[in-house]
């Protein structure tokens, strides 16, 4: 499954018995060139092992890349064998342990685990704490070398994937990608969706999977990447011992057809009932990953359509106001010439105009080229992105493994950045002329029903792991105007993240102000007394940095990320947009129209539709019942004056926290902060807003239903929740882990609805919402209309069980370990640490709450869990979105008489 289709189990494992100490060299066939402390080897059985030791983290990432993707399925092309196999292999029964034993190990492991399938590979990974790297590898290597493909699990996962087919049909973006690929490619198997076609998929048997597993899941087809606090020789010995029974087999030559160059333009359009706006992709055949023109095309993609200063954003969104979103990128797989793609989301009436404007902008590049400043900005953006992407162990492991799988060079991404530096203006204009050929472009669009659109004829008119001194303790200071500042020096990576959070969001909105917080925050960068909107965007994008603003339930934020040499610029720009926004009238009107389009589109996502409906019926007088975007009526009423008044109420220093984390000298930065933010006036309120505590307006069970244009039924079962200041929020997190894992599939509900022989849903998850003087706990899932009653009954049974039965000590310990491990993994990046510190300080929990959180979780008892369950889970609000035109999964074909016993 592609990035859209991630299936796995959240988890942690007991450490297996240590491997007997054998000389690692006896297992090694050859060593690969490496840099620094990296160790890269190929074992005698053909398995490639890439190890990067890091002493600056307690997290270890383990990833196995298998050369088994949809393009290699041969006679079974289109049946989704690779994706199907991933479902069965990930967490399935092996020669070493049963599925239940694997699940128990994973739950004890408490780490992040998942798997995905793409066109040319299947990847399995577990990220966990240093102490458990052996346990993680024991699981992963057992999956990929000795899975038994248990017959009952094969049957169950088939039904689960059929649920996934239905989810995909309810996702316009996924349908668009499938349509685009099938139109852009005429011969190569990349044209087929990774998940396959349902009518072919249902015919797949266990024997088909077993044959494919034996052919593709061989050590010479695998790459293992391990990054973290490990000793390379111990890893090599462990892996070699574990995979000793996996012998090298004959090499399989993958003969893939050559995709012919397109002759003429191609046009495809699909009407979807659930689509509210046009979503379109315009593509041009480009190059494969190894081609020398890759670098100039990638730079061209940034110049045309990445960021707010890009040409297409400025033309289509800012000037013409014809799109909600536009982006350009150069998709370059290793196995086939890729596509230079421009994607856009827009109202149907703007589709022809936007397509014409896109062609105009392409012609300008082809005729006039790019400016030196644009070129340098694009290069800096790529290099900064490369540096930012090296921060976590999982990102490093993914980079090493993907680079080697694609090119045979684990350092390809590092050399990629160097080759980007060499791109010249002449290279960009050359590739624009050579590849962006209008007469050979591909257009695919998903449109609302009844939409008329242009006809087809219209288309023709840096190195290894960073090492540095350990991070310092967080330093807290308060400016004279009340702004709290948190500083943490961390010199491992040459960048700095700045996170400013203030009390805001829907929490501050009166009913007539619904949508004001989001619009106010988004317009902070629309122009100041010193800089225009474009100049604000250019300031940081020109040095490869980023600047973002937003607003949600309790807070607004302004966030920036830059290389360390650009910190003073980032502080200046951030202070400018916070202290001196102008809210230009023209930008206010543009943002209103953009927001109205976004409101129109938001219920395309089934989860958003369910949660919005739940909040409207659960919250009575509390502002949380507001939509973040507002309603059509409230947005229409917004004026510049209203936004200025709301800004004065929301953006005040005494209710804000600025966190700066990264590679800097605090003594030099403090004067910059005081100079930039000291003049911020402290007028306005200081206390938290006066909000009436949420009280449940019903007892027992209440049901709300709404008909939907989706083809599957959406279900949300909500109960009471907790105030964010309630110390029992850690208990509720443990409840979440017991029911459905933390962030990854697992727990009782997953096992009851998707585990064993169950195949009732594709996804089910519980989560708490801890708010200010209000909260809720919810379970969300999607299923077929036929299974809806059974699924809902299972959810209620497990909520009842938590109230009636105390949780066992072993299950409790697994749940607590999972909560703690996922908490630590979530704080691996500096950006996440800064955000956590700022928000916790702002909401009264203290900037160090994250460091205290694990001990709070460890103190949770079984009695705590049952007592809280009895208090919160008794009364329930059930929300259902019922399909007007339900679609059940396709049945398996009837066997022919010769197969009937």
């Amino acid at each position: 499954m592609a990035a859209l289709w991630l299936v796995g189990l959240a988890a942690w494992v007991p450490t297996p018995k240590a491997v007997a100490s054998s000389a690692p060299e006896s297992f090694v066939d050859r060593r690969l060139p490496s840099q620094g402390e990296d160790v890269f080897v190929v074992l005698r059985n053909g398995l490639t092992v890439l190890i990067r030791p890091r002493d600056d983290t307690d997290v270890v990432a383990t990833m196995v890349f298998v050369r088994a993707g949809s393009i290699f399925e041969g006679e079974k092309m289109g049946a989704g064998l690779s994706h199907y196999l991933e479902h069965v292999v990930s967490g399935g029964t092996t020669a070493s342990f049963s599925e239940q034993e694997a699940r128990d190990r994973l739950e004890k492991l408490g780490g992040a685990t998942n798997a995905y399938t793409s066109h040319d590979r299947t990847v399995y990974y577990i990220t966990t704490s240093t102490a458990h790297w052996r346990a993680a590898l024991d699981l992963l290597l057992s999956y990929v070398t000795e899975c038994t493909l248990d017959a009952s699990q094969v049957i169950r996962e088939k039904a689960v994937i059929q649920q996934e087919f239905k989810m995909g049909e309810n996702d316009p973006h996924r349908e668009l990608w499938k349509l685009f690929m099938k139109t852009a490619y005429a011969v190569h198997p990349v044209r087929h969706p990774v998940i396959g076609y349902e009518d072919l998929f249902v015919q797949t048997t266990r024997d088909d999977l077993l044959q494919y597993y034996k052919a593709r899941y061989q050590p010479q087809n695998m790459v293992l990447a391990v990054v973290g606090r490990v000793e390379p020789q111990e890893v090599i010995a462990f892996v070699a011992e574990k995979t000793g029974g996996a012998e090298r087999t004959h090499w399989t030559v993958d003969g893939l057809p050559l995709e012919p160059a397109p002759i003429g333009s191609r046009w495809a359009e699909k009407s979807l009932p659930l689509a509210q706006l046009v979503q379109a992709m315009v593509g041009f055949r480009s190059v494969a990953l190894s081609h020398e023109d890759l670098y100039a095309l990638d730079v061209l993609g940034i110049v045309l359509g990445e960021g707010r200063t890009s040409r297409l954003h400025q033309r289509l969104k800012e000037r013409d106001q014809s799109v909600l979103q536009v982006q350009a990128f150069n998709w370059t797989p290793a196995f086939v010439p890729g596509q230079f793609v421009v994607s856009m989301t827009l109202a149907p009436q703007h589709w022809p105009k936007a397509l014409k404007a896109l062609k105009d902008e392409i012609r300008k590049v082809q005729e006039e080229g790019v400016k030196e400043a644009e070129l340098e900005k694009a290069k800096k953006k790529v290099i900064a992105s490369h540096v930012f992407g090296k921060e976590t162990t999982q990102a490093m492991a993914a980079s090493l493994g993907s680079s080697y799988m694609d090119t045979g060079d684990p350092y390809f991404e590092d050399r990629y950045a160097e080759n980007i530096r060499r791109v010249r203006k002449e290279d960009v204009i050359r590739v624009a002329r050579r590849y962006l050929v209008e007469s050979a472009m591909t257009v695919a669009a998903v449109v609302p029903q009844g939409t008329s659109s242009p006809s087809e004829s219209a288309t023709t008119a840096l190195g290894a792991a960073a090492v540095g001194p350990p991070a310092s303790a967080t330093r807290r200071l308060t400016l004279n105007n009340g702004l709290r500042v948190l500083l943490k020096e961390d010199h491992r990576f040459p960048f700095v993240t700045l996170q400013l959070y203030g009390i805001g969001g829907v929490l501050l909105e009166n009913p007539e102000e619904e949508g004001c917080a989001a619009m106010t925050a988004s317009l902070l960068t629309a122009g100041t007394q010193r800089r225009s909107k474009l100049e604000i965007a250019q300031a940081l994008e020109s040095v490869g940095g980023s600047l973002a603003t937003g607003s949600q339930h309790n807070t607004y934020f302004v966030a920036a990320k830059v290389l360390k040499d650009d910190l003073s610029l980032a502080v200046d720009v951030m202070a400018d947009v916070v202290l001196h926004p102008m809210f230009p009238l023209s930008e206010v009107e543009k943002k209103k129209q953009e927001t109205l389009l976004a409101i129109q589109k938001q219920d395309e996502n089934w989860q958003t539709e369910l949660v919005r409906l739940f909040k409207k019926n659960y919250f009575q007088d509390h502002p949380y019942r507001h939509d973040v975007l507002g309603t059509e009526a409230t947005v229409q009423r917004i004026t510049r004056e209203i936004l200025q008044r709301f800004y004065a109420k929301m953006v005040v220093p005494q209710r804000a926290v600025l966190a700066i984390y990264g590679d800097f000298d605090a003594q030099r930065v403090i004067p910059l902060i005081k100079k930039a933010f000291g003049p911020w006036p402290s007028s306005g309120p200081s206390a938290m807003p006066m909000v009436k505590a949420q009280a449940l307006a019903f007892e027992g069970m209440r049901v709300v239903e709404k008909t939907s244009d989706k083809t599957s039924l959406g279900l949300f079962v909500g109960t009471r929740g907790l105030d964010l200041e309630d110390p029992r929020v850690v208990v509720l997190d443990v409840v979440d882990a017991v029911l459905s894992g933390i962030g990854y599939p697992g727990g009782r509900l997953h096992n009851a609805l998707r585990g064993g022989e169950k195949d009732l849903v594709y996804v089910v998850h519980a989560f708490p919402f801890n708010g200010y003087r209000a909260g809720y706990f919810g379970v969300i899932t999607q299923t077929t209309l036929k299974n809806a009653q059974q699924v809902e009954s299972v959810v209620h049974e497990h909520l009842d069980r938590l109230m009636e039965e105390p949780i066992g000590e072993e299950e409790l310990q697994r749940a607590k370990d999972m909560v703690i491990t996922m908490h630590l993994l979530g704080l691996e990046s500096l950006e996440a640490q800064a955000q956590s510190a700022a928000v916790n300080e702002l909401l009264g929990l203290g900037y160090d709450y994250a460091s205290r959180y694990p001990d709070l979780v460890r103190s949770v008892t079984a009695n705590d869990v049952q007592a809280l369950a009895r208090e919160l889970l008794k009364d329930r609000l059930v929300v259902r979105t019922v399909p007007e035109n339900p679609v059940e999964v396709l049945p398996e074909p009837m066997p022919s008489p010769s197969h009937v016993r």
Side-chain angles (χ1 to χ4, degrees), residues 41-54:
V41 300
V42 179
L43 302 185
R44 294 191 182 279
N45 60 7
L47 175 66
T48 300
V49 184
L50 311 174
I51 306 168
R52 173 167 292 172
R54 285 184 61 183

Side-chain angles (χ1 to χ4, degrees), residues 1-2 5 70 73 78-81 83-84 87 117 160-166 168 174 178 192-198 201 762:
M1 56 190 185
W5 303 316
S70 58
E73 292 171 5
L81 278 179
H83 173 248
Y84 191 179
H87 270 249
T117 306
V160 168
I161 293 171
Q162 288 185 272
Q163 300 278 352
E164 188 177 352
F165 274 107
K166 300 312 164 193
R174 191 181 298 190
K178 286 161 56 179
H192 303 299
V194 174
I195 196 174
Y197 304 99
E198 190 174 3
F201 167 76
Y762 174 69

Side-chain angles (χ1 to χ4, degrees), residues 463-625:
V467 178
S472 66
T474 300
R475 179 175 177 178
R476 182 185 186 278
L477 61 140
T478 303
L479 303 190
N480 292 335
N481 56 10
L483 175 66
R484 287 161 284 176
V485 180
L486 307 175
L487 301 173
K488 181 177 181 180
E489 295 183 38
D490 190 322
H491 304 285
R492 294 173 301 159
F493 301 96
F495 61 79
V496 184
T497 180
L498 303 88
Q499 304 275 336
L500 186 145
Y501 275 80
I503 298 299
V506 298
L507 191 62
L508 288 190
E509 293 176 344
N510 298 319
E512 65 276 7
E513 295 174 325
E514 191 169 349
C516 280
M519 192 171 294
T520 299
S522 67
L523 288 171
L524 291 176
T525 56
T528 68
Q529 296 172 9
R530 292 171 49 201
R531 294 179 174 96
S532 68
K533 179 179 180 180
L534 180 59
E535 288 169 337
I536 292 170
Q538 287 174 332
L540 294 189
E541 288 190 13
S542 64
V543 296
S546 62
L547 178 68
T549 63
S551 174
Q552 287 295 324
H553 292 92
N554 304 312
T555 61
Y556 72 91
F557 70 87
V558 181
K561 192 173 186 179
V562 292
L563 297 175
K564 65 176 185 178
D565 293 339
D566 303 311
L567 175 57
S568 59
L569 172 64
V571 170
D572 182 62
V573 173
M574 178 178 279
D576 193 23
V577 301
V578 171
L579 274 65
H580 309 298
M582 294 297 292
F583 301 100
L585 185 59
S586 61
E587 294 297 333
V588 172
E589 292 305 313
K590 284 163 61 176
K591 179 57 66 173
K592 286 175 62 174
Q593 297 308 310
E594 177 185 322
T595 303
L596 291 172
L597 281 176
I599 290 171
Q600 185 180 341
K601 184 177 182 291
Q602 59 188 340
D603 279 349
E604 285 183 356
N605 181 284
W606 68 272
Q607 293 172 318
T608 301
E609 184 179 33
L610 272 172
V611 174
R612 288 183 62 243
L613 186 58
F614 171 81
K615 287 167 56 182
K616 290 293 185 186
N617 287 274
Y618 178 80
F619 295 113
Q620 302 301 312
D621 300 322
H622 199 285
Y624 287 154
R625 74 188 312 270

Side-chain angles (χ1 to χ4, degrees), residues 241-319:
E241 195 79 18
K242 180 65 183 177
T243 61
E247 298 180 355
R248 187 199 307 266
T249 62
H250 295 293
W251 285 96
T252 300
V253 178
D254 299 311
L256 298 173
L258 296 177
E259 178 68 25
I263 301 175
S265 61
R266 300 173 183 177
W267 183 283
E269 189 174 288
K270 184 173 183 178
S271 176
L272 288 181
L274 60 90
Q276 302 300 315
L277 300 176
V278 173
Q279 296 189 43
M281 285 184 172
V282 180
F284 305 86
R285 174 167 165 150
S286 63
V287 299
L289 189 66
S290 59
H291 199 283
E292 61 184 4
D293 286 340
L294 162 73
Y295 310 101
L297 281 165
D298 283 2
V299 168
L300 177 59
I302 293 173
V303 169
L304 273 179
E306 185 172 324
R308 292 177 296 169
T309 59
S310 67
R311 293 191 176 195
L312 291 177
H313 182 97
Q314 288 296 312
R315 169 72 183 273
L316 276 67
K317 186 173 176 67
E318 300 298 339
R319 198 192 84 177

Side-chain angles (χ1 to χ4, degrees), residues 666-683:
Q667 293 304 317
R668 295 182 179 180
V669 168
I670 290 173
L672 287 177
I673 297 170
K674 290 182 176 179
K675 180 180 178 181
F677 289 94
W680 190 0
S682 58
S683 59

